[in-house]
Amino acid sequence: MNPHSIAAVKIIKAQLAIIGPIALDQAKNVSGLKIIDLEKIEITGNGKAILTNLVIEYSKFFGRASIEVCKDALKEIRPPIPQEELPEILIK
Amino acid sequence: MTQAKTKDNYSRIIKDQELPNITEKLYEQNVELAIRNRTLSVLREMYDIINTSLEVRQTAQKLVDEIVQQLNFQKSFIALINKEQGILKTVAVSQSIGEAQKVVEKFGHPFKNFNISLKNTENFCVDSVINKRQRLTNVLYDILISRVKEEDAKEIQDKLNIKTIILYPLFFGKKVLGVLVLGMDKHVGFLSRAEREVLKELIEVVSIAIERSQIYADLKDANHRLKTMDKLKDEFISVTSHELRTPMTAIKSYLWMLLNKKKDLLDDKAKEYLVKSYVSTERTINLVNDMLDVSRIESGRLEINKEPADLVILAKEVSEQLSFKASEKWIDLTVEDKQLPQVICDKDRTRQLFFNLIGNAVKFTPEKGKVSTEFELKGNKVEVRVKDNGPGISKQDKERLFKKFSRLENSFVSMAESGGTGLGLFISKQIIGLLDGDIWVESELGKGSTFCFTLPVAK
């Protein structure tokens, strides 16, 4: 999987642990993101933009805290995803 | 707009504004719960290790493997203090694979063979345990000082992709056990909240696990030493008793022959001295036998062979053996002739019991007295009563009766004259206990004594 897909998997799993199955429902609202299963996600299009939309989708209901959760989730990815591959919303 | 409609709109605006706040607050609480949940999940794995591992190395290895797996660390090892040798020594290291494995092999497994003097405080691991503090470094050489050269440490660090090393001293109470070393492929600032929480809780659990394993190791060692000492004690007692008994038995035999075969050659004084020597010899032999029995009882090795037996027959056999002694004092010695069901007992040990009780009764009954053995079936037990019309026993003496080397107030002279050891009743009580029976005494001063015991009926 490409880095954006790996990041998306990690973010969705982190959100699942907090808000349950709603996390999957919200992720499905993101255009260009296809959830095959919990370990595999396909991203079609601009990966950075899709990741941004995924994070915004969660923050619509759950605010700033959900953005921090997304950032925190990426810290556990090995090897770490290079910063240039990540959208601004996940770096700041 | 009417007042009611304004009010409705206002309520709806408030609710619309408050709802996201409430949702966000609930979300934040859920974040805390999720982190806690993950921490507890990791700790549960750790506790499973504690509960299923006992040896120090085994426990420590499982812990470092679990830590590396759960937290995706590059390397982890535990080194413990060895006070006798004054060193810090590795007991467990997480495995490396591929290139990482090759580089550690190249430099002689520096983590596995980590063995540093506690005087070497330049080494961060030693510093951590001596000064009881956490250490953090970005340089692997800081923990491998005196194990490898600086450039070699750099090569290992690059190949293992270690960016940060954290050292945690392992405490149990105030005692420092050793150090847990964790190597990560990122800087501490990039740990997620969940990872930081887990690390915080982890250290205490690791310390508990190590201490528990060490206690187990110490107990196992102490147990082994006790068993060895026990065996040596048994051998000593066995050899000593044999070495004592053999010459004493020879002496006793010769004394008996003198007293019985050559008595015509002896004057009264000589006979008196020989009788006293004979009794003393018999007493020493009995003491050795009794002490052997006590030793076996106390180490749980007194052998009992349970089988059905007729108590009346056993009592009569013993009474027959003691009849000579009884006749010397004109004591009327009787055993009740009664039809009884068989009991479960060890025949030899029950004879020993009768010998102690009937023998004591004969010893302490004055001339022309009476000693009787009677029986009664009580439910699923047979009760035996050995009665005498001797001086009786005071309340204080009764409390000491079944203890080792117990002597009644006026019994010392009798014991010395008759070869008693002070262990007979103690041994009788232990035997009865092993045969699932009870033993007790009913007595009053001036009114004689009745020693009673019960044994279970054979089914």
Side-chain angles (χ1 to χ4, degrees):
Chain A
M1 278 197 295
N2 63 57
H4 302 121
S5 298
I6 293 170
V9 164
K10 202 70 183 171
I11 286 169
I12 293 169
K13 275 187 175 174
Q15 296 293 348
L16 255 173
I18 296 163
I19 55 176
I22 302 173
L24 282 171
D25 294 335
Q26 287 187 285
K28 284 173 187 169
N29 290 339
V30 177
S31 173
L33 193 85
K34 187 180 175 190
I35 302 171
I36 317 278
D37 59 46
L38 275 178
E39 297 298 332
K40 197 171 177 195
I41 285 171
E42 275 176 15
I43 288 184
T44 323
N46 184 329
K48 273 192 194 177
I50 290 168
L51 275 180
T52 304
N53 291 339
L54 178 63
V55 174
I56 289 170
E57 190 65 26
Y58 290 124
S59 71
K60 268 187 217 169
F61 290 100
F62 305 112
R64 184 85 215 148
S66 67
I67 301 175
E68 295 303 317
V69 165
C70 296
K71 283 184 188 173
D72 216 44
L74 298 186
K75 288 178 180 175
E76 297 190 18
I77 295 175
R78 303 281 196 295
I81 294 175
Q83 291 226 313
E84 54 271 21
E85 298 285 344
L86 296 172
E88 233 177 272
I89 197 169
L90 287 172
I91 296 171
K92 280 190 196 165
Chain B
M1 200 181 279
T2 62
Q3 242 188 354
K5 275 191 181 169
T6 312
K7 211 174 171 183
D8 277 345
N9 281 342
Y10 188 62
S11 300
R12 198 169 55 243
I13 288 165
I14 289 180
K15 278 186 191 164
D16 287 345
Q17 282 175 348
E18 281 193 6
L19 197 56
N21 281 344
I22 293 166
T23 311
E24 280 181 35
K25 280 207 170 12
L26 279 171
Y27 181 88
E28 282 161 19
Q29 283 171 5
N30 275 6
V31 168
E32 298 303 319
L33 280 171
I35 291 171
R36 196 73 206 132
N37 195 37
R38 183 156 159 206
T39 307
L40 288 171
S41 177
V42 172
L43 289 180
R44 204 193 68 175
E45 299 294 325
M46 299 286 165
Y47 281 120
D48 277 348
I49 292 171
I50 293 175
N51 288 335
T52 54
S53 307
L54 292 170
E55 309 276 13
V56 176
R57 282 183 185 273
Q58 188 191 43
T59 303
Q61 189 60 55
K62 285 185 181 180
L63 286 170
V64 296
D65 289 341
E66 189 66 27
I67 289 168
V68 162
Q69 194 203 332
Q70 290 281 354
L71 296 170
N72 282 319
F73 287 161
Q74 303 305 101
K75 201 73 178 159
S76 172
F77 71 90
I78 291 175
L80 297 181
I81 293 174
N82 182 318
K83 277 199 179 131
E84 286 99 24
Q85 293 176 22
I87 57 171
L88 197 55
K89 194 174 156 112
T90 300
V91 293
V93 180
S94 61
Q95 273 199 313
S96 300
I97 48 170
E99 290 299 315
Q101 178 63 9
K102 284 183 188 162
V103 79
V104 296
E105 274 171 7
K106 180 179 167 185
F107 294 109
H109 295 281
F111 303 108
K112 195 169 148 191
N113 297 325
F114 187 91
N115 185 334
I116 303 281
S117 165
L118 289 168
K119 290 180 186 163
N120 191 343
T121 49
E122 274 187 312
N123 185 298
F124 275 35
C125 294
V126 174
D127 177 78
S128 180
V129 300
I130 297 291
N131 294 310
K132 299 177 186 174
R133 58 178 177 172
Q134 276 184 33
R135 295 297 308 258
L136 190 70
T137 178
N138 300 325
V139 177
L140 189 66
Y141 183 61
D142 287 338
I143 66 160
L144 292 178
I145 289 173
S146 82
R147 279 292 307 131
V148 297
K149 291 184 247 179
E150 195 168 350
E151 56 268 30
D152 298 343
K154 182 132 192 358
E155 191 179 333
I156 297 169
Q157 184 168 357
D158 288 341
K159 279 279 168 14
L160 262 53
N161 192 23
I162 292 176
K163 295 210 167 44
T164 310
I165 302 125
I166 316 180
L167 295 90
Y168 293 98
L170 298 171
F171 286 97
F172 192 82
K174 289 183 183 169
K175 184 177 148 198
V176 181
L177 307 169
V179 65
L180 169 67
V181 180
L182 303 169
M184 299 185 281
D185 64 350
K186 57 188 177 186
H187 296 289
V188 163
F190 292 105
L191 282 170
S192 69
R193 266 197 67 192
E195 284 171 336
R196 286 201 297 275
E197 284 291 317
V198 168
L199 266 177
K200 208 167 72 175
E201 303 282 344
L202 197 75
I203 304 309
E204 200 176 314
V205 174
V206 170
S207 298
I208 290 169
I210 297 295
E211 174 68 6
R212 188 173 177 270
S213 305
Q214 285 187 329
I215 289 170
Y216 172 76
D218 289 343
L219 277 171
K220 203 172 159 191
D221 187 47
N223 193 39
H224 177 74
R225 279 186 276 123
L226 275 170
K227 278 185 179 167
T228 308
M229 275 171 60
D230 213 30
K231 198 175 162 213
L232 284 171
K233 185 197 86 176
D234 272 352
E235 281 170 9
F236 172 76
I237 288 173
S238 186
V239 166
T240 311
S241 67
H242 176 76
E243 295 303 318
L244 275 174
R245 266 197 301 215
T246 310
M248 296 309 297
T249 307
I251 294 168
K252 185 181 165 185
S253 304
Y254 290 126
L255 286 169
W256 185 89
M257 280 197 288
L258 273 173
L259 282 167
N260 291 284
K261 306 275 185 191
K262 302 288 178 188
K263 56 186 171 193
D264 299 335
L265 301 173
L266 302 167
D267 62 33
D268 289 341
K269 213 61 184 166
K271 274 185 205 162
E272 187 193 328
Y273 293 153
L274 284 171
V275 164
K276 283 186 176 166
S277 302
Y278 181 87
V279 167
S280 293
T281 310
E282 193 176 50
R283 185 160 171 250
T284 307
I285 293 170
N286 290 341
L287 186 61
V288 169
N289 286 335
D290 284 352
M291 286 180 77
L292 253 181
D293 271 350
V294 168
S295 169
R296 284 190 198 118
I297 286 165
E298 289 183 337
S299 60
R301 270 176 279 179
L302 187 71
E303 279 182 17
I304 294 289
N305 299 313
K306 288 184 182 178
E307 55 183 331
D310 188 323
L311 274 179
V312 176
I313 292 176
L314 293 176
K316 281 183 176 175
E317 282 172 11
V318 170
S319 197
E320 181 62 37
Q321 285 178 308
L322 290 166
S323 60
F324 180 72
K325 278 201 168 125
S327 70
E328 283 180 339
K329 290 165 77 177
W330 303 284
I331 287 173
D332 179 22
L333 181 63
T334 59
V335 175
E336 188 183 11
D337 207 356
K338 197 165 183 176
Q339 286 295 317
L340 285 171
Q342 287 191 319
V343 296
I344 294 294
C345 68
D346 178 311
K347 284 184 185 171
D348 287 338
R349 293 293 175 185
T350 308
R351 281 190 200 97
Q352 186 180 359
L353 190 60
F354 274 125
F355 210 93
N356 281 333
L357 299 182
I358 301 176
N360 277 349
V362 168
K363 264 181 232 168
F364 291 102
T365 298
E367 287 181 359
K368 296 179 185 168
K370 188 173 164 53
V371 173
S372 62
T373 304
E374 292 161 9
F375 307 89
E376 194 177 336
L377 178 63
K378 285 189 171 177
N380 61 351
K381 293 189 183 210
V382 171
E383 186 178 296
V384 180
R385 303 171 70 81
V386 176
K387 251 176 162 167
D388 66 63
N389 58 353
I393 304 167
S394 68
K395 198 176 165 194
Q396 299 99 295
D397 280 342
K398 267 198 268 186
E399 283 161 22
R400 293 188 284 138
L401 263 186
F402 293 99
K403 297 190 173 135
K404 275 188 271 186
F405 301 112
S406 63
R407 293 197 186 286
L408 304 186
E409 282 295 315
N410 60 349
S411 75
F412 188 80
V413 172
S414 302
M415 287 287 192
E417 285 171 352
S418 61
T421 63
L423 290 171
L425 286 176
F426 171 78
I427 292 170
S428 299
K429 186 171 171 146
Q430 307 309 311
I431 290 171
I432 277 291
L434 291 168
L435 293 172
D436 303 319
D438 285 311
I439 187 167
W440 68 96
V441 66
E442 294 163 2
S443 182
E444 269 183 59
L445 276 176
K447 292 183 182 175
S449 303
T450 305
F451 279 80
C452 313
F453 68 88
T454 60
L455 285 171
V457 168
K459 284 173 190 162

PDB file of all heavy atoms in Angstrom, chain B residues 279-298:
ATOM      1  N   VAL B 279      19.605 -51.336  82.860  1.00  0.00           N
ATOM      2  CA  VAL B 279      18.480 -50.406  82.637  1.00  0.00           C
ATOM      3  C   VAL B 279      18.953 -49.175  81.849  1.00  0.00           C
ATOM      4  O   VAL B 279      18.281 -48.721  80.924  1.00  0.00           O
ATOM      5  CB  VAL B 279      17.850 -49.985  83.987  1.00  0.00           C
ATOM      6  CG1 VAL B 279      16.915 -48.799  83.806  1.00  0.00           C
ATOM      7  CG2 VAL B 279      17.100 -51.154  84.619  1.00  0.00           C
ATOM      8  N   SER B 280      20.143 -48.659  82.221  1.00  0.00           N
ATOM      9  CA  SER B 280      20.675 -47.479  81.514  1.00  0.00           C
ATOM     10  C   SER B 280      20.944 -47.794  80.053  1.00  0.00           C
ATOM     11  O   SER B 280      20.672 -46.983  79.167  1.00  0.00           O
ATOM     12  CB  SER B 280      21.963 -46.995  82.175  1.00  0.00           C
ATOM     13  OG  SER B 280      21.679 -46.497  83.454  1.00  0.00           O
ATOM     14  N   THR B 281      21.474 -48.986  79.826  1.00  0.00           N
ATOM     15  CA  THR B 281      21.765 -49.395  78.441  1.00  0.00           C
ATOM     16  C   THR B 281      20.471 -49.498  77.649  1.00  0.00           C
ATOM     17  O   THR B 281      20.372 -49.007  76.520  1.00  0.00           O
ATOM     18  CB  THR B 281      22.477 -50.765  78.435  1.00  0.00           C
ATOM     19  OG1 THR B 281      23.561 -50.736  79.354  1.00  0.00           O
ATOM     20  CG2 THR B 281      22.984 -51.093  77.050  1.00  0.00           C
ATOM     21  N   GLU B 282      19.480 -50.117  78.280  1.00  0.00           N
ATOM     22  CA  GLU B 282      18.188 -50.266  77.605  1.00  0.00           C
ATOM     23  C   GLU B 282      17.593 -48.895  77.306  1.00  0.00           C
ATOM     24  O   GLU B 282      17.029 -48.659  76.231  1.00  0.00           O
ATOM     25  CB  GLU B 282      17.248 -51.070  78.513  1.00  0.00           C
ATOM     26  CG  GLU B 282      16.003 -51.557  77.802  1.00  0.00           C
ATOM     27  CD  GLU B 282      15.144 -52.435  78.702  1.00  0.00           C
ATOM     28  OE1 GLU B 282      14.854 -52.009  79.826  1.00  0.00           O
ATOM     29  OE2 GLU B 282      14.770 -53.542  78.262  1.00  0.00           O
ATOM     30  N   ARG B 283      17.769 -48.002  78.270  1.00  0.00           N
ATOM     31  CA  ARG B 283      17.219 -46.647  78.084  1.00  0.00           C
ATOM     32  C   ARG B 283      17.905 -45.939  76.917  1.00  0.00           C
ATOM     33  O   ARG B 283      17.248 -45.267  76.111  1.00  0.00           O
ATOM     34  CB  ARG B 283      17.410 -45.860  79.374  1.00  0.00           C
ATOM     35  CG  ARG B 283      16.775 -44.511  79.328  1.00  0.00           C
ATOM     36  CD  ARG B 283      16.529 -43.936  80.711  1.00  0.00           C
ATOM     37  NE  ARG B 283      16.117 -42.551  80.516  1.00  0.00           N
ATOM     38  CZ  ARG B 283      16.844 -41.495  80.834  1.00  0.00           C
ATOM     39  NH1 ARG B 283      18.023 -41.659  81.398  1.00  0.00           N
ATOM     40  NH2 ARG B 283      16.394 -40.284  80.605  1.00  0.00           N
ATOM     41  N   THR B 284      19.202 -46.092  76.806  1.00  0.00           N
ATOM     42  CA  THR B 284      19.931 -45.442  75.702  1.00  0.00           C
ATOM     43  C   THR B 284      19.469 -46.009  74.356  1.00  0.00           C
ATOM     44  O   THR B 284      19.245 -45.255  73.405  1.00  0.00           O
ATOM     45  CB  THR B 284      21.439 -45.649  75.863  1.00  0.00           C
ATOM     46  OG1 THR B 284      21.822 -45.224  77.169  1.00  0.00           O
ATOM     47  CG2 THR B 284      22.223 -44.850  74.834  1.00  0.00           C
ATOM     48  N   ILE B 285      19.316 -47.334  74.304  1.00  0.00           N
ATOM     49  CA  ILE B 285      18.847 -47.949  73.046  1.00  0.00           C
ATOM     50  C   ILE B 285      17.456 -47.441  72.708  1.00  0.00           C
ATOM     51  O   ILE B 285      17.168 -47.068  71.560  1.00  0.00           O
ATOM     52  CB  ILE B 285      18.841 -49.489  73.154  1.00  0.00           C
ATOM     53  CG1 ILE B 285      20.269 -50.007  73.281  1.00  0.00           C
ATOM     54  CG2 ILE B 285      18.162 -50.114  71.945  1.00  0.00           C
ATOM     55  CD1 ILE B 285      20.360 -51.475  73.625  1.00  0.00           C
ATOM     56  N   ASN B 286      16.596 -47.399  73.709  1.00  0.00           N
ATOM     57  CA  ASN B 286      15.232 -46.908  73.469  1.00  0.00           C
ATOM     58  C   ASN B 286      15.256 -45.458  73.004  1.00  0.00           C
ATOM     59  O   ASN B 286      14.476 -45.054  72.133  1.00  0.00           O
ATOM     60  CB  ASN B 286      14.376 -47.026  74.743  1.00  0.00           C
ATOM     61  CG  ASN B 286      14.046 -48.460  75.091  1.00  0.00           C
ATOM     62  OD1 ASN B 286      14.132 -49.347  74.243  1.00  0.00           O
ATOM     63  ND2 ASN B 286      13.686 -48.717  76.340  1.00  0.00           N
ATOM     64  N   LEU B 287      16.153 -44.678  73.623  1.00  0.00           N
ATOM     65  CA  LEU B 287      16.243 -43.253  73.260  1.00  0.00           C
ATOM     66  C   LEU B 287      16.657 -43.102  71.803  1.00  0.00           C
ATOM     67  O   LEU B 287      16.093 -42.287  71.060  1.00  0.00           O
ATOM     68  CB  LEU B 287      17.250 -42.554  74.181  1.00  0.00           C
ATOM     69  CG  LEU B 287      17.359 -41.031  74.017  1.00  0.00           C
ATOM     70  CD1 LEU B 287      16.036 -40.358  74.321  1.00  0.00           C
ATOM     71  CD2 LEU B 287      18.438 -40.471  74.942  1.00  0.00           C
ATOM     72  N   VAL B 288      17.655 -43.867  71.409  1.00  0.00           N
ATOM     73  CA  VAL B 288      18.106 -43.798  70.008  1.00  0.00           C
ATOM     74  C   VAL B 288      16.957 -44.175  69.065  1.00  0.00           C
ATOM     75  O   VAL B 288      16.693 -43.489  68.069  1.00  0.00           O
ATOM     76  CB  VAL B 288      19.322 -44.722  69.785  1.00  0.00           C
ATOM     77  CG1 VAL B 288      19.618 -44.863  68.296  1.00  0.00           C
ATOM     78  CG2 VAL B 288      20.538 -44.173  70.511  1.00  0.00           C
ATOM     79  N   ASN B 289      16.237 -45.244  69.402  1.00  0.00           N
ATOM     80  CA  ASN B 289      15.106 -45.662  68.561  1.00  0.00           C
ATOM     81  C   ASN B 289      14.023 -44.592  68.508  1.00  0.00           C
ATOM     82  O   ASN B 289      13.493 -44.275  67.442  1.00  0.00           O
ATOM     83  CB  ASN B 289      14.488 -46.959  69.106  1.00  0.00           C
ATOM     84  CG  ASN B 289      15.357 -48.165  68.820  1.00  0.00           C
ATOM     85  OD1 ASN B 289      16.143 -48.172  67.865  1.00  0.00           O
ATOM     86  ND2 ASN B 289      15.240 -49.192  69.650  1.00  0.00           N
ATOM     87  N   ASP B 290      13.730 -44.047  69.679  1.00  0.00           N
ATOM     88  CA  ASP B 290      12.688 -43.019  69.732  1.00  0.00           C
ATOM     89  C   ASP B 290      13.099 -41.773  68.974  1.00  0.00           C
ATOM     90  O   ASP B 290      12.280 -41.156  68.285  1.00  0.00           O
ATOM     91  CB  ASP B 290      12.356 -42.652  71.191  1.00  0.00           C
ATOM     92  CG  ASP B 290      11.488 -43.715  71.875  1.00  0.00           C
ATOM     93  OD1 ASP B 290      11.031 -44.634  71.153  1.00  0.00           O
ATOM     94  OD2 ASP B 290      11.269 -43.628  73.099  1.00  0.00           O
ATOM     95  N   MET B 291      14.367 -41.406  69.081  1.00  0.00           N
ATOM     96  CA  MET B 291      14.814 -40.196  68.389  1.00  0.00           C
ATOM     97  C   MET B 291      14.785 -40.398  66.883  1.00  0.00           C
ATOM     98  O   MET B 291      14.467 -39.482  66.119  1.00  0.00           O
ATOM     99  CB  MET B 291      16.193 -39.766  68.868  1.00  0.00           C
ATOM    100  CG  MET B 291      16.107 -39.148  70.261  1.00  0.00           C
ATOM    101  SD  MET B 291      17.665 -38.597  70.911  1.00  0.00           S
ATOM    102  CE  MET B 291      17.877 -37.085  70.010  1.00  0.00           C
ATOM    103  N   LEU B 292      15.069 -41.601  66.465  1.00  0.00           N
ATOM    104  CA  LEU B 292      14.941 -41.919  65.039  1.00  0.00           C
ATOM    105  C   LEU B 292      13.486 -41.772  64.596  1.00  0.00           C
ATOM    106  O   LEU B 292      13.193 -41.208  63.537  1.00  0.00           O
ATOM    107  CB  LEU B 292      15.363 -43.374  64.798  1.00  0.00           C
ATOM    108  CG  LEU B 292      16.690 -43.593  64.099  1.00  0.00           C
ATOM    109  CD1 LEU B 292      16.947 -45.081  63.916  1.00  0.00           C
ATOM    110  CD2 LEU B 292      16.759 -42.888  62.751  1.00  0.00           C
ATOM    111  N   ASP B 293      12.589 -42.273  65.425  1.00  0.00           N
ATOM    112  CA  ASP B 293      11.162 -42.159  65.116  1.00  0.00           C
ATOM    113  C   ASP B 293      10.740 -40.693  65.053  1.00  0.00           C
ATOM    114  O   ASP B 293      10.023 -40.280  64.143  1.00  0.00           O
ATOM    115  CB  ASP B 293      10.312 -42.872  66.181  1.00  0.00           C
ATOM    116  CG  ASP B 293      10.081 -44.342  65.856  1.00  0.00           C
ATOM    117  OD1 ASP B 293      10.408 -44.747  64.719  1.00  0.00           O
ATOM    118  OD2 ASP B 293       9.577 -45.078  66.734  1.00  0.00           O
ATOM    119  N   VAL B 294      11.195 -39.902  66.028  1.00  0.00           N
ATOM    120  CA  VAL B 294      10.828 -38.477  66.077  1.00  0.00           C
ATOM    121  C   VAL B 294      11.347 -37.768  64.825  1.00  0.00           C
ATOM    122  O   VAL B 294      10.645 -36.974  64.206  1.00  0.00           O
ATOM    123  CB  VAL B 294      11.386 -37.807  67.359  1.00  0.00           C
ATOM    124  CG1 VAL B 294      11.263 -36.294  67.279  1.00  0.00           C
ATOM    125  CG2 VAL B 294      10.638 -38.309  68.584  1.00  0.00           C
ATOM    126  N   SER B 295      12.564 -38.111  64.452  1.00  0.00           N
ATOM    127  CA  SER B 295      13.146 -37.495  63.252  1.00  0.00           C
ATOM    128  C   SER B 295      12.311 -37.832  62.013  1.00  0.00           C
ATOM    129  O   SER B 295      12.029 -36.975  61.179  1.00  0.00           O
ATOM    130  CB  SER B 295      14.576 -37.991  63.084  1.00  0.00           C
ATOM    131  OG  SER B 295      15.056 -37.614  61.824  1.00  0.00           O
ATOM    132  N   ARG B 296      11.894 -39.095  61.935  1.00  0.00           N
ATOM    133  CA  ARG B 296      11.075 -39.510  60.778  1.00  0.00           C
ATOM    134  C   ARG B 296       9.715 -38.810  60.803  1.00  0.00           C
ATOM    135  O   ARG B 296       9.206 -38.382  59.779  1.00  0.00           O
ATOM    136  CB  ARG B 296      10.868 -41.023  60.798  1.00  0.00           C
ATOM    137  CG  ARG B 296      12.080 -41.795  60.360  1.00  0.00           C
ATOM    138  CD  ARG B 296      11.757 -43.269  60.168  1.00  0.00           C
ATOM    139  NE  ARG B 296      12.986 -44.029  60.158  1.00  0.00           N
ATOM    140  CZ  ARG B 296      13.309 -44.966  61.042  1.00  0.00           C
ATOM    141  NH1 ARG B 296      12.482 -45.283  62.032  1.00  0.00           N
ATOM    142  NH2 ARG B 296      14.456 -45.605  60.962  1.00  0.00           N
ATOM    143  N   ILE B 297       9.151 -38.710  61.996  1.00  0.00           N
ATOM    144  CA  ILE B 297       7.835 -38.073  62.124  1.00  0.00           C
ATOM    145  C   ILE B 297       7.923 -36.619  61.672  1.00  0.00           C
ATOM    146  O   ILE B 297       7.117 -36.138  60.896  1.00  0.00           O
ATOM    147  CB  ILE B 297       7.318 -38.148  63.586  1.00  0.00           C
ATOM    148  CG1 ILE B 297       6.857 -39.571  63.919  1.00  0.00           C
ATOM    149  CG2 ILE B 297       6.176 -37.160  63.826  1.00  0.00           C
ATOM    150  CD1 ILE B 297       6.684 -39.826  65.407  1.00  0.00           C
ATOM    151  N   GLU B 298       8.962 -35.930  62.166  1.00  0.00           N
ATOM    152  CA  GLU B 298       9.056 -34.491  61.894  1.00  0.00           C
ATOM    153  C   GLU B 298       9.404 -34.192  60.452  1.00  0.00           C
ATOM    154  O   GLU B 298       9.105 -33.108  59.951  1.00  0.00           O
ATOM    155  CB  GLU B 298      10.055 -33.843  62.846  1.00  0.00           C
ATOM    156  CG  GLU B 298       9.481 -33.799  64.257  1.00  0.00           C
ATOM    157  CD  GLU B 298      10.368 -33.115  65.273  1.00  0.00           C
ATOM    158  OE1 GLU B 298      11.590 -33.035  65.048  1.00  0.00           O
ATOM    159  OE2 GLU B 298       9.821 -32.677  66.283  1.00  0.00           O
TER     160      GLU B 298
END
